[in-house]
Amino acid sequence: MRRSALVVDDSRVVRKAARRMLEGFGFSVREAEDGEQALIACRAEALPNVVLLDWNMPVMDGITFLRAARAEFGADRPPIVLCTTESEFSRIVEALQAGAQEYIMKPFDATILGGKLAQIGLLDAAEVPA
Amino acid sequence: MSGSSPDTFAAIAGLVKARAGIVLTPDKGYMLDTRLAAILRRGNFASLAALAQALRDPRGEPLVRDVVEALTTNESSFFRDGKPFEHVKRILPALHAARPAGARLRIWSAACSTGQEAYSLALLLADQLPALAGRQVDILGTDLSREVVERAREGVFSQFEVQRGLPVQMLVKHFIQEGGKWRIKPALRAMCRFEERNLLGEHRGLGGFDLIFCRNVLIYFDTPTKAKVLAALAAQLAPDGALYLGGAETVLGLTDRLVPLPGERGVYGPAPALARSA
């Protein structure tokens, strides 16, 4: 069965770029513009295999979604990868403590994203572009 | 399309082959334009031909070094290709058990580039050290390029670099953020030593190693150079040690001193003495 991803970002440009990379790795992709939409998407259908999550968004930000998702769906499902311009050490620690599996500091490319997906067991290292 | 004439290309390619063993084929002529542009600007050379002329000057050693360094490839990432590091995890307990108390385990990252491979080994060992019961491990990283060796010694990586292959949990545990950069912590830095070294040279003075990484280097060499380098690496490898090559590299047909380890891809061990003498 095809692996699925939910891309949560208020930037259409970022969602489009992430979608292209994820589809290149064989994922089906859904999109949400903020944390609230993402929660609705998670409740509406089967949980995605991974959530790629921005931090700063209107309505509901990424860390709030992360905590809500961990409380509602479980400690490690769905796997959540923060993907944000927030690059301070304290922010990364905060996200990990809230239950994120991985963390991407923007900007990123398919090698970085693929590597992170490999680290959480969703891709084989050989599938990641060098 | 290259801006170099066949004579200029041959002169510069010949120099790189002699110094670094790297074979530049004519279809790589564009590399001269792209990678030597900064040297042309810095030295006020009007053309690649003018640079080639200057390289013939016996006093031009620093310039020769700059040109060779610019034409070598320094691609690197943490835990590159994954699988070799899984093998290291499996082989370390056996090597630890086989060595006398107090003996150090020695690992060589040959052609270490900016140090990610050596530091990946240090990171892996930091997690494995309890199982090694306090055994000292030395990691030596070597590279032809002075510039990348200096960067490796510094142990500071960009945000982009630390995201290539490095799990975020390791990043927060073993690195210190300095502005937009990330510095590896002193304890891991202390496990690694870096020095300039040409793989085509003599390595006996380095002593023996339990593990040798030499990945994605042989692909740039011609067959005789590959054979020479592999024989030299085999001479430094412990009888129960392992040599790791890149996915597109092999020892087959190049040396009888190394054999593939059964069930492993890109991992080689010394051939049994009988096979060597046959």
Side-chain angles (χ1 to χ4, degrees):
Chain A
M1 197 167 124
R2 216 170 158 207
R3 290 159 297 188
S4 62
L6 174 63
V7 176
V8 190
D9 200 302
D10 58 331
S11 161
R12 194 168 61 84
V13 175
V14 172
R15 290 200 308 271
K16 193 175 166 189
R19 169 184 283 278
R20 199 170 52 240
M21 292 177 203
L22 286 159
E23 288 178 344
F25 292 131
F27 284 71
S28 65
V29 178
R30 286 186 285 161
E31 295 181 19
E33 294 179 21
D34 57 60
E36 196 171 281
Q37 280 190 15
L39 276 177
I40 293 166
C42 286
R43 289 170 187 146
E45 296 178 39
L47 286 177
N49 293 112
V50 64
V51 177
L52 195 62
L53 179 67
D54 188 18
W55 192 303
N56 297 302
M57 293 178 290
V59 186
M60 181 189 286
D61 65 17
I63 197 76
T64 306
F65 166 82
L66 174 56
R67 292 190 175 114
R70 287 291 167 257
E72 184 168 341
F73 307 117
D76 53 8
R77 56 188 291 271
I80 294 175
V81 178
L82 260 292
C83 184
T84 171
T85 52
E86 296 286 345
S87 58
E88 286 297 310
F89 184 88
S90 59
R91 287 294 216 188
I92 301 174
V93 172
E94 184 181 352
L96 293 177
Q97 286 173 345
Q101 268 74 14
E102 259 297 346
Y103 200 103
I104 294 173
M105 294 172 268
K106 291 175 183 171
F108 65 105
D109 61 11
T111 301
I112 289 174
L113 175 58
K116 299 293 185 185
L117 294 173
Q119 274 151 24
I120 57 177
L122 291 173
L123 273 187
D124 190 276
E127 296 176 83
V128 180
Chain B
M1 183 77 180
S2 165
S4 62
S5 70
D7 283 353
T8 299
F9 178 83
I12 296 176
L15 179 72
V16 175
K17 169 75 168 62
R19 290 301 185 99
I22 294 167
V23 177
L24 290 178
T25 47
D27 62 306
K28 296 285 196 308
Y30 68 90
M31 284 174 62
L32 268 54
D33 298 315
T34 54
R35 296 201 186 178
L36 300 182
I39 293 175
L40 290 183
R41 272 198 309 277
R42 249 190 347 256
N44 283 323
F45 296 105
S47 63
L48 286 168
L51 174 64
Q53 181 63 37
L55 291 169
R56 291 193 189 97
D57 186 333
R59 294 162 300 177
E61 182 55 31
L63 184 62
V64 169
R65 175 191 285 270
D66 287 350
V67 166
V68 171
E69 287 196 8
L71 289 170
T72 53
T73 298
N74 291 308
E75 180 72 18
S76 188
S77 59
F78 288 96
F79 296 100
R80 189 174 180 180
D81 301 332
K83 294 239 171 359
F85 299 94
E86 295 301 319
H87 185 263
V88 171
K89 275 189 206 169
R90 294 199 303 275
I91 197 175
L92 271 177
L95 291 172
H96 170 60
R99 298 292 178 270
R104 289 165 175 259
L105 286 174
R106 301 191 73 225
I107 306 177
W108 181 13
S109 169
C112 67
S113 187
T114 40
Q116 283 92 328
E117 184 173 79
Y119 288 127
S120 296
L121 290 160
L123 288 160
L124 187 154
L125 285 158
D127 289 343
Q128 300 283 311
L129 281 178
L132 298 184
R135 185 179 295 279
Q136 292 289 306
V137 181
D138 293 335
I139 301 167
L140 173 66
T142 66
D143 201 283
L144 174 73
S145 162
R146 176 170 48 187
E147 191 180 330
V148 297
V149 166
E150 280 170 7
R151 275 214 52 209
R153 276 191 194 124
E154 210 181 351
V156 176
F157 297 93
S158 70
Q159 178 176 298
F160 188 77
E161 288 167 328
V162 294
Q163 296 200 88
R164 297 192 67 182
L166 188 64
V168 71
Q169 288 84 357
M170 281 193 177
L171 178 68
V172 297
K173 187 175 173 192
H174 295 297
F175 287 76
I176 300 158
Q177 191 173 30
E178 294 181 351
K181 304 268 188 180
W182 295 83
R183 179 184 294 280
I184 195 148
K185 285 187 176 173
L188 276 87
R189 171 65 191 83
M191 291 170 68
C192 301
R193 186 166 60 84
F194 296 95
E195 64 179 50
E196 273 178 76
R197 175 167 288 273
N198 191 333
L199 265 182
L200 306 187
E202 171 57 53
H203 308 307
R204 275 190 289 240
L206 291 178
F209 291 92
D210 301 291
L211 304 175
I212 300 176
F213 278 68
C214 185
R215 301 189 297 154
N216 307 304
V217 183
L218 298 179
I219 45 174
Y220 299 106
F221 296 161
D222 62 14
T223 300
T225 308
K226 286 177 188 173
K228 181 180 171 207
V229 169
L230 283 171
L233 296 179
Q236 304 309 123
L237 190 61
D240 54 353
L243 167 70
Y244 301 87
L245 299 181
E249 297 165 331
T250 181
V251 305
L252 299 175
L254 294 167
T255 179
D256 60 359
R257 303 185 64 175
L258 294 159
V259 292
L261 293 189
E264 304 293 342
R265 187 180 159 84
V267 191
Y268 301 85
L274 204 61
R276 274 211 300 277
S277 62

